Amino acid sequence: MCMPSEVQMDPHYTPTIADINNDGNVEILVGVSDFQDKLFALRGSDGSILWTYDSSLCSPNPPMVEDINGDGNVEVVFSECGVKALRGTDGFLIWSSYSGGIFSLPAIGDINNDGMVEVAVGYYDLYYRGRVFALRGMDIHPLRLGI
């Protein structure tokens, strides 16, 4: 059964499907450009809008869903001219880290075996050299990677 959503989206954005509000049902996360530049969270049951996040600088990339701060609830993490983390339940901005040249999707995991989740992304520096930076998920403290 195909249920249309009330959101008109650019078909170039890949949706993410996950239970982001701990209600036992999956939601659909999708970025929309076409002069809207928003990230939408849609209820999987009927396609209605759960919440939206306005992204005024760039169109959002497909998000990742993970509990990055250890509170037992998932966050929505995506890159758009920086890295942002939203509360899954309502789309509230938890943290944002600006870096103008981010083009990669975020990768999430415990990269330094300290028991805390980090978020890593690839970006271009001012000289268009490819770089990777990582942030601690709970407080966006940057980690030194040595590359």
Side-chain angles (χ1 to χ4, degrees), residues 30-59:
V30 66
V32 177
S33 61
D34 297 335
F35 306 107
Q36 294 183 61
D37 292 338
K38 292 184 180 187
L39 178 66
F40 284 89
L42 307 173
R43 289 179 182 87
S45 60
D46 62 7
S48 64
I49 297 172
L50 178 64
W51 53 256
T52 63
Y53 177 77
D54 292 324
S55 58
S56 59
L57 297 176
C58 304
S59 298

Side-chain angles (χ1 to χ4, degrees), residues 13 23 25 36 42-43 45 48 52 80 105 121 124 132 137-139:
Y13 289 98
D23 66 354
N25 299 306
Q36 294 183 61
L42 307 173
R43 289 179 182 87
S45 60
S48 64
T52 63
E80 58 124 27
L105 298 176
V121 292
Y124 286 113
V132 174
M138 69 180 348
D139 60 7

Side-chain angles (χ1 to χ4, degrees), residues 18-20 22 64-77 85-88 94-95 108-110 115-119 136-138:
D19 180 6
I20 60 172
N22 294 324
M64 303 295 288
V65 175
E66 184 76 36
D67 179 9
I68 61 169
N69 59 10
D71 66 355
N73 298 305
V74 296
E75 285 74 41
V76 176
V77 181
L86 309 177
R87 197 165 45 206
I94 297 172
W95 56 252
I108 300 173
D110 182 5
M116 293 186 282
V117 176
E118 287 83 35
V119 177
R136 197 164 50 202
M138 69 180 348

